[in-house]
Amino acid sequence: MDSVAVSVEEKLREKIRGKTARVGIVGLGYVGLPLAVEFARAGLSVTGIDVIARKVEQLNAGVSYVQDVPTEVFRPFVEKGLFKATTDFSVIAELDTVNIAVPTPLRKTKDPDMSFVVSAAQEIAKYAHPGLLIILESTTYPGTTDELLLPMFEERGLKVGRDIFLCFSPERVDPGNPKYQTINIPKVVGGITPACTELGALFYAQALETVVPVSSTTVAEMVKLLENTFRMINIGLVNELAMMCDRMGVNVWEVIDAAATKPFGFMPFYPGPGLGGHCIPIDPFYLSWKTKQAGIEARFIELAGYINGSMPHFVVDKVQDALNNAAKPVNGSHIHVAGVAYKKNIDDVRESPALDVILLLEKLGAKVSYSDPFIPSIKLDGRDMQGVELLGAAAAADCVVIVTDHTTFDYQALLDASKLIVDTRNAMKTLKSPKIVRL
Ligand code: SAJ
């Protein structure tokens, strides 16, 4: 290696090791902001970059909008000058490292929407310079870093592994998780070259407890997809089991709880009204999209996607049957939905199956209302729907559907107030009543 290259790599290594490296984080959401805070906490100077000026202003005022970063924790880093935010990518010319943590949604056609990653990488490439470490964290299809990002930098004459260093590191943030936060979730990182991997691992080691280097960016990209595809397929399996048990008159919840007593070789998943969130329903389709190009059908993923996608219809069938047994048509009935967030105790409604359940019930002529302490209103078919108080609405309804099992709900009071309940989450596990219809 020529002496200039060694000095570029060596200088970056020294800056990282000495914590004088100036850190950049592009994308200040539920992934980027907690990461920024961990590096500021480790004493490095962090510049957050986001295209939304309102977010930048809020952060520079010391106010956090991310659930896992309380303002009282965040503000001191701004006051000490360890964190500042900007919309101006040109600051990258003065930075030593930059992480990309922008959204990678799927289009309706289940094709990856890489537009946020591409625009961020193009901006970074404009200001990239020898000695810059670039790490993509957004969940994406295997090959993205190598095939999409690498050329953007090399066409500017910057040799990866010599002038700049390029890695992928999957984000594993689980919003609201009380036990696992950014600092103590093991961090997988893989680089285009061994020097990239080594510098990426050294970088994360400055702020995070455990770093897991792997041999390439593609391995690192696949790790994340395996993790979330594993969940999606196993949720699909128990959802199919729920439909089988329903047909056979077997209590699927009792089956799973008993299976979960097996001390090895089993991991319980639970049936539900469908698959919500911005990870599990999305990430596996990045894998199937890419493998399709390689001529391999990801049949498990497609099948699990079909089963999980059919759960809202299954729930509505259960409601229809329950009302029918009470000699009531869905058409004209008032149905109250308890919980619309995509999973319990969070305020996120993205891809929530509750939205599908509500639309399907309305299509059958039902009058639908909802309660959710975390979600005051939802957008449905272009209109706003306001949440209402739970017990009053439940008492007035012909049927209540528990779609999200928030722990803040008083299930005994809900049972007392309701005429009929379809429980899609076994939230009333400890309650006995002929009014309860379980999934
Ligand atoms: N769900 C079921 N049955 C289950 C588990 C989940 O129906 O047994 C449903 C949930 O209700 C939700 C959807 O699946 O609608 C996704 O739930 P999730 O528990 O997987 O939660 P997410 O989407 O917040 O997933 C995140 C992921 N984190 C990252 O990608 C970094 C996932 O890898 C985590 O394992 C998961 O949090 C977690 O364990 O909380």
Side-chain angles (χ1 to χ4, degrees), residues 95-214:
L95 298 180
D96 302 301
T97 73
V98 59
N99 289 62
I100 307 171
V102 297
T104 46
L106 273 189
R107 301 182 201 287
K108 283 282 168 237
T109 50
K110 291 220 187 301
D111 292 325
D113 173 1
M114 301 304 292
S115 59
F116 297 95
V117 167
V118 168
S119 56
Q122 283 169 340
E123 284 300 310
I124 294 166
K126 272 189 214 163
Y127 305 103
H129 52 81
L132 182 65
L133 171 64
I134 303 141
I135 304 179
L136 176 61
E137 294 214 1
S138 309
T139 304
T140 182
Y141 61 84
T144 300
T145 311
D146 196 19
E147 298 161 11
L148 191 64
L149 265 63
L150 178 56
M152 289 183 188
F153 296 101
E154 296 225 318
E155 69 194 22
R156 289 176 178 272
L158 291 165
K159 184 93 183 91
V160 173
R162 187 194 66 195
D163 304 322
I164 58 169
F165 304 89
L166 182 58
C167 297
F168 181 84
S169 174
E171 63 88 359
R172 285 174 159 175
V173 175
D174 180 26
N177 189 316
K179 189 168 172 223
Y180 296 110
Q181 291 289 311
T182 298
I183 190 164
N184 66 348
I185 297 171
K187 197 79 169 106
V188 169
V189 57
I192 296 287
T193 71
C196 298
T197 304
E198 187 249 318
L199 287 166
L202 182 66
F203 169 69
Y204 283 119
Q206 304 311 309
L208 308 181
E209 287 174 9
T210 312
V211 181
V212 182
V214 292

Side-chain angles (χ1 to χ4, degrees), residues 156-316:
R156 289 176 178 272
L158 291 165
K159 184 93 183 91
V160 173
R162 187 194 66 195
D163 304 322
I164 58 169
F165 304 89
L166 182 58
C167 297
F168 181 84
S169 174
E171 63 88 359
R172 285 174 159 175
V173 175
D174 180 26
N177 189 316
K179 189 168 172 223
Y180 296 110
Q181 291 289 311
T182 298
I183 190 164
N184 66 348
I185 297 171
K187 197 79 169 106
V188 169
V189 57
I192 296 287
T193 71
C196 298
T197 304
E198 187 249 318
L199 287 166
L202 182 66
F203 169 69
Y204 283 119
Q206 304 311 309
L208 308 181
E209 287 174 9
T210 312
V211 181
V212 182
V214 292
S215 61
S216 72
T217 56
T218 308
V219 166
E221 289 156 346
M222 280 298 264
V223 164
K224 170 72 179 192
L225 296 177
L226 170 59
E227 288 166 5
N228 283 358
T229 301
F230 162 78
R231 283 184 75 75
M232 182 255 206
I233 282 176
N234 280 286
I235 294 165
L237 171 65
V238 287
N239 278 333
E240 186 172 59
L241 196 79
M243 291 189 269
M244 293 171 186
C245 288
D246 181 65
R247 195 58 61 87
M248 298 187 291
V250 173
N251 180 331
V252 68
W253 305 97
E254 184 187 4
V255 169
I256 295 168
D257 284 349
T261 59
K262 183 180 177 191
F264 50 85
F266 182 78
M267 179 178 181
F269 287 86
Y270 299 93
L275 210 50
H278 43 279
C279 302
I280 307 308
I282 310 271
D283 299 352
F285 290 99
Y286 271 98
L287 183 55
S288 62
W289 176 81
K290 183 67 177 177
T291 56
K292 220 173 273 173
Q293 290 187 340
I296 306 165
E297 280 303 307
R299 286 175 295 167
F300 269 117
I301 294 173
E302 303 297 335
L303 177 59
Y306 169 75
I307 291 169
N308 291 326
S310 67
M311 293 312 284
H313 297 270
F314 182 66
V315 167
V316 169

Side-chain angles (χ1 to χ4, degrees), residues 300-336:
F300 269 117
I301 294 173
E302 303 297 335
L303 177 59
Y306 169 75
I307 291 169
N308 291 326
S310 67
M311 293 312 284
H313 297 270
F314 182 66
V315 167
V316 169
D317 290 348
K318 294 290 283 186
V319 171
Q320 195 154 23
D321 292 348
L323 282 169
N324 188 52
N325 291 340
K328 289 181 184 169
V330 174
N331 195 346
S333 287
H334 172 196
I335 297 172
H336 188 63

